[in-house]
Amino acid sequence: MSVKKDYYEILGISRNADENQIKKAYRRLAKKYHPDTNAGNEDAEQKFKEVTEAYNILSDKEKRKLYDQFGHVPFNQSGAGSGQGNGYWQSYGGPRSGYQEYHFEGGDMDDMFRDMFGDIFGGFDRSGFRQKGRDVKAQVFVSFDEAAFGCDKVIRLQDAASRNGSVQSLQVHIPAGIDTGKAVRLKGKGMPGVNGGENGDLLLVVDVGEKPGYERKGQDVFTTVQIPYTTAVFGGEAVVGTLYGNVVCKIRKGMQSGTKIRLKGKGIVSMQDPCVHGDQYVTVQIQVPRHLSPEAEQKLREFESACAGRAKTA
């Protein structure tokens, strides 16, 4: 059996890394080794699985605390010693990616794990009463537009305890308006129940990607538009891109750079009420000419002189 690498080493971070550093390291490496961009590359596939496994442990405060104290033992079937362990493995986000969580049963060594790690892995029922399985979490990436408009994604779940390693594909609906940190609940897809109790749920925690030129804050969207210097001076119109297509905005005469234009209802839809949308705020940026013809430069200097003269007489 191969020896697992240090999770901190896999993500390329220090043992004192905070949550943001862990997340940034994971997103960078997951993008680099993702199976969708490394088709047929077994080495990249293995690295992607290692990176995902490392992230799922270190991003969870309780699991990270266990790992820092006991290493891989609580998260590895081999840690059950002579007892027989049952593992439950969920893979998500692509056909070869994986998320692992283990539930130990049987053997003297497992009695020790029940006492030490019961709270983390859902607990063990010694009384014979039914007990619901523990909920588990996994992360799913969606694009900016997928989060804004909603989408359907296919995830794959694998039961590592089954002999044939059966894999189940599930179609998951990502609701429109969802934001980073929100979760989609898949009922009954978590840890198995005890003594016939119902299964726990699988919580898919959403991480929304970025969209060039757009910034999201809650339901509101922020963008910029550049207008020619002459349009700012004389007024006119500017075409602004929104999530729902282009709109024409009126530019009033003398508009200053940094002015914000509010486009009501052009933001993100509310998850609670599909009739409610946020707004889009467009910051105006004035384009400064880089190259002027001699005639244009002369006219501009005349304009400058006229403005200076008017200021003196005022």
Side-chain angles (χ1 to χ4, degrees):
M1 179 178 292
S2 60
V3 179
K4 288 191 175 183
K5 297 180 181 179
D6 183 276
Y7 286 146
Y8 292 98
E9 179 182 342
I10 290 174
L11 294 181
I13 57 177
S14 70
R15 302 188 75 85
N16 297 323
D18 59 25
E19 294 180 7
N20 289 333
Q21 291 172 321
I22 293 173
K23 184 176 181 180
K24 287 181 180 179
Y26 172 66
R27 293 189 65 175
R28 175 176 57 81
L29 293 173
K31 182 178 180 180
K32 179 179 180 180
Y33 296 119
H34 198 284
D36 291 347
T37 56
N38 294 275
N41 187 334
E42 295 183 0
D43 183 56
E45 176 184 342
Q46 180 59 34
K47 288 182 178 178
F48 181 81
K49 292 173 69 174
E50 291 178 353
V51 166
T52 302
E53 181 179 346
Y55 174 75
N56 281 307
I57 298 301
L58 298 184
S59 62
D60 186 294
K61 292 182 179 180
E62 294 297 331
K63 293 177 187 174
R64 182 179 181 182
K65 183 178 179 180
L66 281 176
Y67 176 72
D68 288 343
Q69 187 172 2
F70 300 103
H72 295 282
V73 174
F75 312 99
N76 195 325
Q77 276 185 297
S78 62
S82 59
Q84 293 180 351
N86 290 332
Y88 190 73
W89 172 25
Q90 291 130 332
S91 71
Y92 65 94
R96 293 186 175 87
S97 57
Y99 171 85
Q100 300 186 20
E101 183 112 23
Y102 289 97
H103 174 82
F104 298 92
E105 294 180 346
D108 294 337
M109 183 66 75
D110 291 329
D111 289 335
M112 179 186 72
F113 282 124
R114 289 170 183 163
D115 295 334
M116 294 172 59
F117 310 120
D119 290 339
I120 300 301
F121 294 103
F124 294 83
D125 190 350
R126 299 176 184 269
S127 64
F129 291 105
R130 291 182 179 180
Q131 180 177 337
K132 181 180 178 181
R134 189 173 180 84
D135 294 343
V136 294
K137 293 182 179 180
Q139 191 173 39
V140 60
F141 291 100
V142 298
S143 70
F144 191 99
D145 287 344
E146 287 175 335
F149 299 107
C151 66
D152 292 320
K153 280 187 172 292
V154 176
I155 65 170
R156 291 161 61 91
L157 302 181
Q158 180 174 0
D159 185 355
S162 64
R163 293 183 178 180
N164 59 2
S166 59
V167 177
Q168 181 182 13
S169 295
L170 293 177
Q171 183 166 306
V172 180
H173 179 68
I174 305 297
I178 200 165
D179 204 355
T180 294
K182 300 294 184 180
V184 177
R185 182 181 294 270
L186 299 184
K187 189 173 179 58
K189 299 303 179 181
M191 299 292 289
V194 178
N195 296 325
E198 62 179 314
N199 292 348
D201 301 334
L202 171 61
L203 303 176
L204 292 177
V205 182
V206 172
D207 187 3
V208 180
E210 298 177 351
K211 183 181 178 70
Y214 289 79
E215 181 182 3
R216 176 178 175 178
K217 294 182 181 179
Q219 290 180 241
D220 294 330
V221 173
F222 296 80
T223 63
T224 61
V225 64
Q226 294 189 346
I227 62 173
Y229 174 77
T230 51
T231 302
V233 174
F234 301 116
E237 296 178 340
V239 177
V240 176
T242 76
L243 295 175
Y244 312 95
N246 292 337
V247 298
V248 178
C249 293
K250 184 177 181 180
I251 304 298
R252 67 176 184 274
K253 183 183 299 185
M255 181 171 284
Q256 301 296 301
S257 185
T259 300
K260 283 186 172 60
I261 300 174
R262 178 189 178 195
L263 302 180
K264 189 174 181 179
K266 295 300 182 181
I268 306 293
V269 65
S270 168
M271 291 181 62
Q272 287 71 38
D273 187 348
C275 296
V276 176
H277 288 72
D279 301 327
Q280 179 172 338
Y281 293 89
V282 185
T283 300
V284 175
Q285 296 178 344
I286 298 176
Q287 296 173 324
V288 178
R290 291 180 177 274
H291 304 286
L292 293 174
S293 67
E295 293 180 353
E297 183 174 351
Q298 177 61 34
K299 295 294 184 182
L300 192 57
R301 291 192 180 280
E302 292 176 2
F303 169 77
E304 180 184 33
S305 178
C307 290
R310 185 175 303 175
K312 291 180 180 180
T313 59

